[in-house]
Amino acid sequence: MAYENGLALDREVRGRGKDVSLSPGINLHRTPLGGRSFEYMAEDPCLIAAMCVSEIQGLQQNDIAACVKHFAVNNQETRRFDLLVGSSSRDIRLEGSVTL
């Protein structure tokens, strides 16, 4: 399904005359208050990795470049440009395990 989604995004991006898609978003859901959590694929890093690779492969069918976004600790929208987000070493290990 992620591959099929990538194909659909590929057609949409190409139909608009563009050659880069600002997707997929792969941040982990760390808080239910995250303002953009609906954009991310899943809560499990292994599942995100599998889905992300498939979606990118679909996107690249017609030479559309994928720009993976929000890789780590994008937790909230309020004060997003000046707020420092703390992460434990466990968080960093989990988010570092999402490998493309």
Side-chain angles (χ1 to χ4, degrees):
M1 292 302 295
Y3 180 79
E4 295 293 325
N5 187 53
L7 288 174
L9 286 170
D10 173 275
R11 289 188 300 271
E12 184 174 323
V13 171
R14 184 57 68 202
R16 292 175 177 256
K18 308 296 183 194
D19 55 6
V20 176
S21 175
L22 301 178
S23 66
I26 63 169
N27 195 35
L28 296 177
H29 297 186
R30 295 179 50 196
T31 172
L33 303 175
R36 301 177 88 176
S37 291
F38 67 93
E39 295 179 20
Y40 309 135
M41 294 185 154
E43 296 176 357
D44 182 280
C46 294
L47 179 58
I48 292 171
M51 291 173 63
C52 183
V53 168
S54 294
E55 183 170 306
I56 290 172
Q57 288 171 341
L59 265 169
Q60 293 177 338
Q61 286 294 42
N62 290 318
D63 297 323
I64 299 296
C67 177
V68 177
K69 297 192 64 162
H70 309 298
F71 181 72
V73 294
N74 186 32
N75 291 337
Q76 68 183 51
E77 292 300 302
T78 307
R79 296 185 53 219
R80 67 182 295 194
F81 296 112
D82 63 357
L83 181 71
L84 295 176
V85 177
S87 292
S88 69
S89 59
R90 180 181 184 277
D91 292 336
I92 293 168
R93 282 193 310 273
L94 280 174
E95 293 185 15
S97 68
V98 179
T99 305
L100 301 179

